[in-house]
Amino acid sequence: MSYPLLKKQSFKKLLCGLTAALGMSAALSASAQEPLKIGFVYLGPVGDHGWTYQHEQGRQELVEHFGDKVKTTYVENVDEGASAERVIRNLATSGNQLIFTTSFGYMNPTIKVAQQFPKVTFEHATGYKQAKNVGTYLARTYEGRYVGGYLAAKMTKSHKIGYIASFPIPEVIRDINAIQLALNKYDPQAELKVMWVNSWFDPGKEADAANALIDQGVDVLFQHTDSPAPIQTAERRGVYSIGYASDMCHFGPNSCLMSIVNDWGPFYIRTAQQVMDGTWKPEDFWGGLHDDMLKLPISDVVPADVKQGAEKIIASIRSGEFHPFTGPIKDQSGTERLKAGETITNQQLASMDWCVEGLKADMPK
Amino acid sequence: MDLDLISNILFAMVRTGTPLLLVALGELVCEKSGVLNLGQEGMMLFGAVIGFIVAFATGSLWLGVALAIVAGMVLALLFALVAVYLNANQIACGLALTIFGVGLSSFIGTAWVGKPLVGFGTLAIPLLSQIPLLGRMLFAQDLLVYLSFALFAVVGWVLLKTRTGLVLQAVGENPAAASAMGLPVRRVRLLAVLFGGAMAGLAGAYLSLAYTPMWAENMTAGRGWIALALVVFASWRVFRVLLGAYLFGLASILHLVLQGLGVSIPSNLLAMLPYVATIVVLVLLSRDAVRTRLYAPVSLGQPWQPGH
C-alpha cells in the first residue's frame, strides 16, 4: 500500500533533485554562457609568418587551452597611428574584458583608452607605461640576439655582420646592443652594419636591404622585421642568416643558423586565468629563455662545436647565471653605463636609447 | 663610389622598379581608354597568391605566372562588368576591388604562408652581362624582368605607332565621337581593363615568384598604389612611366645603400626619398600645365553608355 506513496515521495525527491540539478546546470551554463571576452590588436596580417603570426599562434594556444570559456576577437593590420585608438576602443565597447595590444606603437592609445574603461584589463606588448588596468609584457629577445651574436662571430669570414632594422625604438636598440656585446667578446674585429628600412613588414624592401648588405660584404644577416624575405635572400646569395619572431629557418635550409622564436601562448593563458580568478595585477612582465617565452632552435648548418658553445650560453642565461648586459659596459661615447659586475635593470632595458661601445653605426636621430 | 657599387645599384634599381613598371603599364593602357581602375593593389595580390599556389602545387613557375595573369584578368573582368557595362562609379568600384582582392588573397593564401619556394633565378646573358655598369642591370636579371622589357616595348609601340593605340586614345578622349565613328567603345574599354588586370596579375607573380619567392599577406605593401600615382605623374606618357618606375626603384635602393656607406642623413628622410624624388622629377617634366592636360584622357573616370 505504501507503494504509491513511496512512489509519490520518490517522485517529489526526483523533482527536487531535478530542480536542483536544473538550477545547478543553469548556474553552470550561466558561467559557460559568459565566456571571458578577449580582444587582440595585431600590427601586421596574421599571415606575415613573423611577429603577428606568433601572436596569433599564442591566441590559438589560449583558445585551445580554455575552449568555450573564452571568446576571442582579433583585429589585424592595425597601423600604429590614429586608427589604433579607434580599434582598441571598439574592442573595449564591444565587451572585451581583456585586451592585448601587441606592438610598441600602441602604447599611448592603449593608455588613453584604458583610462576610459577602468574595468577592462589591458596588456600592452613591448611598452613601458603601466596603469591600474594596464600591464606590459615583452620577450627578452636580446637573449636570443646575444646567442645569435655568438653564432655570427663563430661563422663569419668577412667579419661583417648585417642587421636589417625597422625603427630606432628601445626594443630594436637593445637587440642591436646585445649582438654587439657578443661580437665584442667573441670577434672584436667584426663590424655590425645596421640598415634601417623604416617598416616592420615589406618583403620586397627587406629583400632589397638584405641584398644591399650582402653587396657590402656582410656574410651573416640578422633581421628585426617580420617577413622571411631576408632569410630567403641570404640563402640565394649564399650567406648565413638568423631568423626572428617565428621559426623561419626552412626558408634557408642551407644557410639559416637559428631562429629567435617568440612563444606568447603561456603568457596569454596565464593572464586570462588571472583575469578569470580576479587575481590580475598590472605588472611589467619580461619573459625570456627562463620562462619559455623565447625559443632558440639552432639548425644543423651550425657545426657541432659551435652549437655546443651556443647551447652552453643558452643554459647559462636560462639559469640566470649569466645576463648579456652585465657590466662593465660603456656606450659609444665611452661613458660607463654599467659598473663591473652590475646587471642592468628592466627599467634601463625598457628605455634603452644608447649604443654600446664597439658599434660603429649611429642611431637615426 | 666604385663601379661595382654603381653596377649593383643599377641592377637593384631595375629589380625594384619592375613590379611598378608592370602595373603602371597596365594601368596606363586602362586609363588611356578612359577607365580609372583603383583596384591594382587587389589584382596584384590576387595574382601573387594564385601564382604562388599554382607554382607550389605543380612545380611549374611558368604555369604559376600564366594563372596569375588569368587571376588578375578575372578580377578585372568583375570590375569591367560593373564599371564599364553597368556604369557604376569607377572610383568606388576600384576601391572595392582592392579591398576585395586584399581579403580574398589572404583568405585563399592562409595555408600557404611560410612555405618556401625556389623562384625564378637570374639568367645572365653571356658576354652582354659583362658590359661594365649596364651589363648586370640589363642582361643579368631573371626572366620576368626581361619579359617586362619586352612588354614595355610592345605597349610603347602599340600606343604610339599603331591604329590600336589610336582607337584606345579616341575612346578615352571622346567616347561619343569614337562611337559615332563606329568604334565599339565598351568592348575597347573592357579589353583595356582586362589588359590592366593581366599586367597587375603578372606583377603579383613577379613578387611572389621572383622578387621574394613566397606568399605573405599584403606582400605588395602598397606598390599598386604607387603605380597608380606613377601613371598620373608620368602624365600618361609611356616613357615617363618607365622613367618613374625606375626612378622610384633607384631612390628606394639609395635609401638603403647610402646608409650602408655611412652617409649621415636621417633614415626617415631617406625613406621619403623615393616618393619625393619621383614626384619632383615628374612634376618638373610636366610643369607645362597645358601640354600635360593634353595627355590626360579627357573622359577618364566617366562612364559611357551607348546612345548618349
Side-chain angles (χ1 to χ4, degrees), chain B residues 55-163:
Chain B
F56 195 91
T58 64
S60 161
L61 292 173
W62 284 109
L63 194 62
V65 172
L67 287 181
I69 291 172
V70 173
M73 288 172 82
V74 168
L75 285 199
L77 181 67
L78 272 179
F79 173 83
L81 287 180
V82 183
V84 176
Y85 285 91
L86 298 175
N87 288 336
N89 182 307
Q90 292 176 7
I91 293 179
C93 291
L95 288 174
L97 188 63
T98 284
I99 296 166
F100 178 62
V102 171
L104 185 65
S105 60
S106 328
F107 176 69
I108 298 178
T110 314
W112 306 89
V113 167
K115 299 245 162 78
L117 176 80
V118 178
F120 283 100
T122 53
L123 185 83
I125 296 169
L127 291 178
L128 287 176
S129 58
Q130 304 298 321
I131 302 172
L133 282 184
L134 301 180
R136 250 193 107 203
M137 160 188 167
L138 296 174
F139 303 111
Q141 299 280 4
D142 57 66
L143 286 166
L144 292 185
V145 174
Y146 297 138
L147 183 62
S148 78
F149 294 161
L151 284 167
F152 167 75
V154 170
V155 170
W157 179 69
V158 168
L159 284 181
L160 301 172
K161 297 280 178 211
T162 66
R163 188 171 177 278

Side-chain angles (χ1 to χ4, degrees), chain A residues 45-49 53 76-77 166 168 193-198 201-205 207-213 215-216 227-229 232-233 236-237 250-252 362 364-365, chain B residues 5 8 12 15-16 102 113-117 119-122 136 209-221 223 252-253 255-257 259-261 266-268 271 274:
Chain A
V46 293
D48 66 357
H49 205 263
Y53 178 82
E76 57 183 338
N77 284 318
S166 46
K193 284 176 170 281
V194 180
M195 194 166 277
W196 302 91
V197 291
N198 296 70
F201 179 77
D202 181 342
K205 193 143 205 194
D208 286 343
N211 275 313
L213 282 166
D215 285 343
Q216 287 167 20
S227 94
Q232 208 172 28
T233 309
R236 243 192 211 194
R237 301 279 305 262
H250 56 291
F251 277 89
D362 280 324
K365 303 276 161 8
Chain B
L5 180 67
N8 283 340
R15 256 173 63 84
T16 312
V102 171
V113 167
K115 299 245 162 78
L117 176 80
F120 283 100
T122 53
R136 250 193 107 203
L209 298 177
Y211 195 47
T212 51
M214 61 170 170
W215 166 249
E217 277 183 42
N218 265 336
M219 67 184 298
T220 49
R223 285 178 178 76
S252 324
I253 294 302
H255 161 218
L256 302 169
V257 173
Q259 289 184 52
L261 293 175
S267 76
N268 339 23

